[in-house]
Amino acid sequence: MKIGIDKIGFATSQYVLKMKDLAEARHVDPEKYSKGLMLDAISITPITEDIVTLAATASQEILDDNDKATIDMVILATESSIDQSKAASIYVHHLLDIQPFARSIEMKEACYSATAALDYAKLHVGMHPQSKVLVIASDIARYGIASSGEPTQGAGSIAMLVKADPRILILNHDNLAQTRDIMDFWRPNYSSTPCVNGIFSTKQYLDSLMTTWQEYQLKNKVSLKDFSAFCLHIPFPKLALKGLTKIMDSSLTHEQKDKLQEAFDTSIIYSKQVGNIYTGSLYLSLLSLLENSRALKAGDKIGMFSYGSGAVSEIFSLELVPGYHNMLKENRFDSLANRKVLSVAEYEELFYEEPNLDSFGNASFKDYLSGAYCLTAINQHQRIYQKNDKS
Ligand code: CAA
């Protein structure tokens, strides 16, 4: 049975910070961000947007009534949880009106867990061929103001519907994972921003890629020649480019290298405008490749490198299904271009805004722009979400 991604949707914040404005405010050469990190802009969320609103907005882009009546599992992968106990997927299940006899869970392992979620969904559909599983990767990447990670923030959610006989991509059975216990990036429960050993984390990313890739090739008896494109987790595009360059060895012809490079350039178009969306970053690069490549065709194999600090990495592959482009959205770039541009002062105001809870645990918020769903208030410590009338 072929199991894979039948639909894929995306949501990000309605606000954007341009890298050139941030560079000026931080007295940094703008080329450090545009060339050194390969970033042009990052999405910034107001307090009324969180992993639930982004996840529900991304999911409603793809789901129809039949999907909502059939989905029997909702998995939300994140490292920016809003609650230590309740899974964010329960809110999403409710907001989207998915049939009640479904399992809803949240998964965590830094930027990696959406990959485990996809594999779990594949195994579940393998046992229950009529099932549909909604897999969502939803995150808001926040580092400290003026920290070295600040230009690599971002926000967004990718929603994927996994089922039998998928119309976009087949999930192959070739996953190879690696775990190593390291402190490259982590966020203790008492902190709203992560602790980061920045340069160490980039070295670990690249070393995890190389060692997982070697083992993956041995296990599956394949080489880079077998792939039409290779998507990588994108904390910032320059690191993913370094990764791709490392795995392109001398056995490839110039033509093969050019093809992979062209696919890579296509895969970073969205990330250059959105920034890091942690669990969703790898899948945003896949979406960018699918929606913008003119070279890909049915039957092509796409390699995927997933990396989550701490660290777990995994390589697996996908195969394109005939007619896949009919399932994709056009003009995504226009909606990114329509985000409201923030000044650095406005961005800092949004960054520091916290719920102003009274003694009963109530808070209300200013009216900010949002996607299809937004957080409207906190009542007795309960988050209140609403569908946006304009959506
Ligand atoms: N013009 C052009 N390029 C310039 C430049 C200029 N004027 N000034 C600097 N650069 C280049 C540098 O040469 C460097 O490029 P190379 O690595 O190719 O040499 C690049 O800009 C970055 O500059 P620095 O090396 O000075 O590094 P930095 O202080 O800006 O920090 C970072 C970079 C450590 C990655 C920082 O952005 C950070 O901490 N980010 C968060 C952590 C992160 O993303 N880690 C990635 C791996 S972990 C992971 O993948 C999980 C995850 O999503 C978080």
Side-chain angles (χ1 to χ4, degrees):
M1 184 180 14
K2 290 173 176 165
I3 302 166
I5 300 169
D6 189 62
K7 296 181 179 180
I8 178 165
F10 171 62
T12 188
S13 156
Q14 306 300 307
Y15 297 94
V16 64
L17 176 66
K18 301 279 186 185
M19 283 295 99
K20 63 174 175 40
D21 296 335
L22 185 65
E24 192 184 331
R26 301 291 178 253
H27 310 291
V28 166
D29 179 356
E31 293 207 337
K32 175 168 181 183
Y33 297 160
S34 64
K35 294 195 172 139
L37 302 175
M38 295 173 66
L39 282 167
D40 295 334
I42 52 176
S43 281
I44 301 293
T45 46
I47 198 162
T48 49
E49 194 93 80
D50 65 14
I51 55 164
V52 168
T53 62
L54 292 169
T57 303
S59 302
Q60 88 125 33
E61 181 182 297
I62 57 169
L63 300 186
D64 59 27
D65 288 346
N66 179 270
D67 297 328
K68 293 176 189 178
T70 327
I71 288 170
D72 65 357
M73 181 145 67
V74 183
I75 314 176
L76 195 148
T78 190
E79 57 173 309
S80 22
S81 280
I82 49 161
D83 195 289
Q84 288 287 344
S85 301
K86 180 167 174 165
S89 51
I90 298 177
Y91 295 99
V92 177
H93 173 275
H94 170 75
L95 289 169
L96 296 174
D97 204 16
I98 290 171
Q99 65 89 18
F101 300 102
R103 176 183 294 154
S104 295
I105 53 167
E106 191 170 303
M107 285 178 84
K108 178 179 73 181
E109 184 355 65
C111 303
Y112 159 76
S113 59
T115 300
L118 267 186
D119 200 47
Y120 180 26
K122 180 180 80 180
L123 297 172
H124 178 79
V125 174
M127 293 296 287
H128 310 280
Q130 303 307 318
S131 289
K132 290 182 186 173
V133 181
L134 178 61
V135 173
I136 313 165
S138 195
D139 268 305
I140 296 174
R142 272 166 63 92
Y143 295 83
I145 295 278
S147 68
S148 68
E150 185 184 34
T152 71
Q153 299 178 115
S157 180
I158 291 275
M160 294 172 276
L161 189 66
V162 175
K163 66 182 268 299
D165 299 321
R167 287 171 289 178
I168 302 180
L169 291 151
I170 298 162
L171 288 157
N172 292 327
H173 305 288
D174 58 358
N175 300 45
L176 194 277
Q178 177 179 177
T179 297
R180 46 174 75 172
D181 185 4
I182 49 168
M183 300 308 275
D184 60 332
F185 170 108
W186 68 103
R187 181 160 71 83
N189 285 347
Y190 47 78
S191 177
S192 67
T193 52
C195 307
V196 194
N197 285 324
I199 300 298
F200 177 65
S201 74
T202 61
K203 291 199 163 91
Q204 289 294 325
Y205 171 104
L206 293 173
D207 191 64
S208 292
L209 168 63
M210 288 307 291
T211 48
T212 309
W213 175 235
Q214 277 156 11
E215 193 66 20
Y216 173 88
Q217 290 179 95
L218 280 177
K219 184 188 162 211
N220 292 296
K221 299 185 178 47
V222 290
S223 73
L224 205 49
K225 285 199 279 296
D226 301 306
F227 295 83
S228 301
F230 211 97
C231 293
L232 299 101
H233 168 54
I234 306 185
F236 52 93
K238 180 74 172 289
L239 186 60
L241 174 60
K242 283 187 184 178
L244 178 75
T245 310
K246 265 186 175 292
I247 60 170
M248 285 209 281
D249 58 46
S250 54
S251 70
L252 293 179
T253 62
H254 282 301
E255 202 184 13
Q256 286 164 334
K257 281 188 181 167
D258 288 350
K259 184 174 154 185
L260 286 170
Q261 182 64 51
E262 195 185 313
F264 177 83
D265 295 343
T266 313
S267 77
I268 61 171
I269 294 174
Y270 295 161
S271 297
K272 285 174 91 163
Q273 304 300 326
V274 172
N276 192 358
I277 60 165
Y278 288 162
T279 47
S281 280
L282 170 62
Y283 300 96
L284 184 59
S285 95
L286 176 67
L287 186 70
S288 184
L289 174 73
L290 297 179
E291 291 186 342
N292 296 291
S293 169
R294 298 282 161 266
L296 286 177
K297 54 184 189 324
D300 279 356
K301 190 164 164 170
I302 302 172
M304 302 284 284
F305 169 63
S306 183
Y307 179 81
S309 290
V312 178
S313 47
E314 186 158 327
I315 294 179
F316 65 102
S317 74
L318 299 160
E319 185 187 311
L320 275 172
V321 171
Y324 73 90
H325 49 267
N326 297 326
M327 299 301 294
L328 300 170
K329 190 175 160 163
E330 285 171 5
N331 307 327
R332 173 107 39 205
F333 208 80
D334 294 350
S335 60
L336 289 178
N338 286 338
R339 287 171 297 174
K340 185 179 175 340
V341 177
L342 296 171
S343 68
V344 173
E346 288 168 328
Y347 143 68
E348 289 181 357
E349 205 174 299
L350 292 190
F351 185 94
Y352 286 120
E353 189 173 0
E354 294 280 345
N356 191 9
L357 291 167
D358 67 15
S359 55
F360 301 102
N362 300 323
S364 56
F365 305 116
K366 277 191 269 179
D367 206 12
Y368 289 109
L369 296 174
S370 74
Y373 295 88
C374 66
L375 175 72
T376 53
I378 297 179
N379 285 348
Q380 295 179 35
H381 300 290
Q382 299 173 33
R383 295 170 87 80
I384 310 298
Y385 296 101
Q386 221 169 59
K387 187 147 200 246
N388 192 339
D389 293 338
K390 286 160 271 172
S391 68

